[in-house]
Amino acid sequence: MTEAVSLPTDRARGLFVPVLTPFEADRTVSMPRFLDQCRWLLASGADGLAVFGTTSEANSLGIDEKIDLLQSLIDAGIPAARLMPGTGTCALPDTVRLTRAAVQAGCAGVLMLPPFYYKGVSDDGLFGSYDAVIQQVGDARLRIYLYHFPQLSEVPLSPALVGRLIAAHPDTVVGLKDSSGVFENTRDLLERFPGFAVFPGSEARVLEALRLGAAGCISATANVNPAGIAAVIAGWQGPEAVALQESASAVRAVFSEVPLIPALKAVMAEWLADDGWRAPRPPLLPMERTAGAALADRLAGLGVSSRRSTEA
Amino acid sequence: MTEAVSLPTDRARGLFVPVLTPFEADRTVSMPRFLDQCRWLLASGADGLAVFGTTSEANSLGIDEKIDLLQSLIDAGIPAARLMPGTGTCALPDTVRLTRAAVQAGCAGVLMLPPFYYKGVSDDGLFGSYDAVIQQVGDARLRIYLYHFPQLSEVPLSPALVGRLIAAHPDTVVGLKDSSGVFENTRDLLERFPGFAVFPGSEARVLEALRLGAAGCISATANVNPAGIAAVIAGWQGPEAVALQESASAVRAVFSEVPLIPALKAVMAEWLADDGWRAPRPPLLPMERTAGAALADRLAGLGVSSRRSTEA
């Protein structure tokens, strides 16, 4: 990984993947498939794993389930220093429990949604939420990456709120994933907060973001194109940067018109000839096999032909 | 309680209160205040307690916290048969755990939000969610009241979905709380599904709803006006029905322009001269004391002058 930008050394940087969570037929998490995917992603250019993200169906996982899964990953040899689990839930006690477990396990950081049931809450209220988590976890090792995803959470994190959190907890609130899809918001955060680790939530314009000082990228489609996105981040200052971006964007575009999580799972099912990969948890529905096969065909046309071949 | 409508005998009916959840200074639940409020509500005309509702800040409570609280209430003598706890969370395992705890404790039923993180989900997906909970709880005693609150959940429950759930689980999916605020939706449900226990989420038009066959009411403001709302339900066929509705609506209107949960807590703080009642959990913020006192004054002007006086 190149140094994408000058950041304090304790900041995460590079490509973090919100790892898909595969399930068994009884809807429990499929640990063998999950571990296999984590290992393949790390072997394919990912700098870290943002497990328990939106793409991971994290909010469809129970609190105990997430704590157990995190420990199981580490017990199986996934380095905690490469993990940035999502730990933000609606409820302060659950967020504190999961965040504490991540810190105590040695995770690089946590990606934290605001509480997202109540809508129209104030910046003061959201500041109070994050502040309470930090105080209750009470561990200097905690590194929080704020998670701004207004389309799903319906609870935006304003730049003013981000600034207040950085000012109050400069060694703890160290970065943000911007899934707004609004490039101006990413730019604004990068300009306002030098040294703050901003990760665009998509690779679609990651080259532009890197040039403005972004720390890397955290993107759903990195589950199927880790090498392609990692190449943009590694090569952003090189002569192939634009071509690498165009290549990554073309892969991303394959998923622009489909339900993203079912589509990514359907591609995994095709690539691994493992129908067990297909199903999300309710309330999401699986994509039909023919649609998944069509996506895999389009990816093959872009040179992303199977998990094994992209591993090279 | 009068028989508001002809319903199967296992259906809840009457006034169920989404009990406010008071906190201690350290943000843990204040069990003495909570229990005191539950007892007062039952003594003041409430037929049951819909603990862990939106007004209860249920989604700001942890899963273990809710299971412990429910058991504590029952251990303290609140009859399980008068409890309808909210048990719907984003995550299937957590919803199953809490629902199972409620059923095993003998609760009258549960009020169940759909999973609410993912937006734009299909009726098939939501059907799958409720169906999975019912199957995993696997207890014939389970009675589910669906919770339709699109403004906060952002995941509406369509009449078509409700019909499918009733058809698939006629002895389990027995009612619905309609917090949409759209009276036509309440009317539509009552017309489509005779014998289904529909509770408007506000007393504002409860008399009209009762005349159309509603089972009762589940309303936030019942925390401060239980007797007034219970009187409308008890007297809906009597000569004072319209006057009782007007009186309840006037109390409701006091809260039309303020943040509802902080306002209700501020009134409790005034009435009981207990500042500890004031604070919600983050991300909600307390209402200032002067604003709370002003609300209490307006309520006094309507004859709702303190918790003690309304108890008579």
Side-chain angles (χ1 to χ4, degrees):
Chain A
M1 177 178 60
T2 49
E3 293 294 298
V5 64
S6 172
L7 284 175
T9 54
D10 66 339
R11 265 57 162 177
R13 64 185 78 198
L15 174 63
F16 278 70
V17 187
V19 187
L20 290 162
T21 308
F23 297 105
E24 303 288 354
D26 67 359
R27 298 200 179 87
T28 58
V29 174
S30 172
M31 198 61 204
R33 291 184 181 97
F34 189 42
L35 201 51
D36 182 54
Q37 178 74 350
C38 287
R39 288 179 175 143
W40 175 72
L41 291 166
L42 289 175
S44 304
D47 296 292
L49 305 175
V51 295
F52 312 154
T54 296
T55 309
S56 318
E57 301 173 69
N59 285 307
S60 301
L61 303 176
I63 178 72
D64 291 337
E65 200 172 28
K66 283 186 269 199
I67 291 173
D68 291 348
L69 264 178
L70 185 63
Q71 194 57 52
S72 296
L73 283 182
I74 294 167
D75 290 347
I78 303 294
R82 299 182 77 172
L83 291 171
M84 186 197 288
T87 64
T89 75
C90 289
L92 180 61
D94 287 349
T95 300
V96 168
R97 274 186 67 203
L98 183 54
T99 302
R100 188 179 285 142
V103 173
Q104 292 177 347
C107 291
V110 299
L111 190 58
M112 199 179 291
L113 280 170
F116 53 84
Y117 182 67
Y118 295 100
K119 308 303 190 291
V121 293
S122 65
D123 276 7
D124 284 346
L126 293 172
F127 180 89
S129 287
Y130 281 108
D131 188 68
V133 173
I134 293 166
Q135 289 187 28
Q136 292 192 18
V137 171
D139 193 315
R141 295 171 295 175
L142 174 61
R143 296 289 176 275
I144 294 178
Y145 297 82
L146 305 171
Y147 190 1
H148 176 57
F149 197 172
Q151 292 92 330
L152 276 190
S153 70
E154 305 272 356
V155 179
L157 304 178
S158 71
L161 170 64
V162 173
R164 282 180 63 186
L165 287 166
I166 295 171
H169 302 286
D171 297 325
T172 304
V173 179
V174 298
L176 178 142
K177 178 185 178 188
D178 185 359
S179 292
S180 67
V182 179
F183 193 78
E184 290 310 312
N185 191 64
T186 305
R187 184 202 307 271
D188 184 35
L189 292 169
L190 288 166
E191 288 175 354
R192 283 180 190 236
F193 309 119
F196 192 59
V198 177
F199 291 83
S202 160
E203 68 275 31
R205 294 175 72 177
V206 66
L207 177 57
E208 282 173 272
L210 290 164
R211 287 173 174 163
L212 294 169
C217 186
I218 305 175
S219 172
T221 40
N223 274 283
V224 296
N225 192 27
I229 301 171
V232 185
I233 297 173
W236 75 277
Q237 291 174 300
E240 302 300 322
V242 171
L244 290 166
Q245 172 70 75
E246 285 174 358
S247 176
S249 294
V251 174
R252 172 96 194 174
V254 169
F255 296 91
S256 61
E257 304 279 316
V258 291
L260 190 53
I261 298 168
L264 290 167
K265 288 192 151 181
V267 168
M268 295 303 305
E270 290 298 316
W271 281 0
L272 299 174
D274 174 5
D275 209 50
W277 251 103
R278 196 172 305 275
R281 251 191 198 164
L284 303 185
L285 292 173
M287 175 173 267
E288 288 190 15
R289 189 170 301 167
T290 49
L295 290 175
D297 283 348
R298 287 185 62 192
L299 291 173
L302 295 167
V304 180
S305 60
S306 84
R307 202 172 83 166
R308 296 303 157 206
S309 73
T310 56
E311 192 171 357
Chain B
M1 176 178 60
T2 49
E3 294 292 299
V5 63
S6 173
L7 284 175
T9 53
D10 66 339
R11 266 54 163 180
R13 65 184 80 197
L15 174 62
F16 277 70
V17 188
V19 188
L20 291 162
T21 308
F23 297 105
E24 303 288 354
D26 67 359
R27 298 200 178 87
T28 58
V29 174
S30 172
M31 198 62 204
R33 293 185 182 96
F34 189 42
L35 201 51
D36 182 55
Q37 177 74 349
C38 287
R39 288 179 174 142
W40 175 71
L41 291 166
L42 289 175
S44 303
D47 297 291
L49 305 174
V51 294
F52 312 153
T54 296
T55 308
S56 319
E57 301 172 72
N59 285 307
S60 301
L61 303 176
I63 177 72
D64 292 336
E65 199 171 29
K66 284 185 270 200
I67 290 173
D68 291 348
L69 264 178
L70 185 63
Q71 193 57 51
S72 297
L73 283 181
I74 293 168
D75 290 347
I78 303 294
R82 299 182 78 173
L83 291 172
M84 186 197 290
T87 64
T89 75
C90 290
L92 179 62
D94 286 351
T95 300
V96 168
R97 273 186 67 203
L98 183 53
T99 302
R100 188 178 285 142
V103 172
Q104 292 177 348
C107 291
V110 300
L111 190 58
M112 199 180 291
L113 280 170
F116 54 84
Y117 182 66
Y118 294 100
K119 308 302 190 290
V121 294
S122 65
D123 276 6
D124 284 346
L126 293 172
F127 180 88
S129 287
Y130 281 108
D131 188 68
V133 173
I134 293 167
Q135 289 188 29
Q136 291 192 21
V137 171
D139 192 315
R141 297 171 294 176
L142 174 60
R143 296 289 177 274
I144 294 178
Y145 297 81
L146 305 171
Y147 190 2
H148 175 57
F149 196 172
Q151 292 91 329
L152 276 191
S153 70
E154 306 271 356
V155 178
L157 304 178
S158 70
L161 170 64
V162 173
R164 282 180 64 187
L165 286 166
I166 295 171
H169 302 285
D171 298 325
T172 304
V173 178
V174 298
L176 178 143
K177 177 184 178 190
D178 185 359
S179 292
S180 68
V182 179
F183 193 79
E184 289 310 312
N185 190 64
T186 305
R187 183 202 307 270
D188 184 35
L189 292 168
L190 288 166
E191 288 176 353
R192 283 180 190 235
F193 310 119
F196 191 60
V198 177
F199 291 83
S202 160
E203 68 275 31
R205 294 176 71 178
V206 66
L207 177 57
E208 281 173 273
L210 290 164
R211 287 172 175 165
L212 294 169
C217 185
I218 305 176
S219 172
T221 40
N223 274 283
V224 297
N225 192 26
I229 302 171
V232 185
I233 297 173
W236 75 278
Q237 291 173 300
E240 302 299 324
V242 171
L244 290 166
Q245 172 70 75
E246 285 174 358
S247 176
S249 294
V251 175
R252 171 96 193 172
V254 169
F255 295 92
S256 62
E257 304 279 316
V258 292
L260 189 54
I261 297 168
L264 291 167
K265 287 191 151 182
V267 168
M268 296 302 305
E270 289 298 315
W271 281 0
L272 299 175
D274 174 6
D275 208 51
W277 252 102
R278 196 173 306 275
R281 249 190 199 167
L284 303 185
L285 292 173
M287 175 173 264
E288 288 190 17
R289 189 170 301 167
T290 49
L295 290 175
D297 283 348
R298 288 186 62 192
L299 291 173
L302 295 167
V304 180
S305 61
S306 85
R307 202 173 83 166
R308 295 303 156 207
S309 71
T310 56
E311 191 169 0

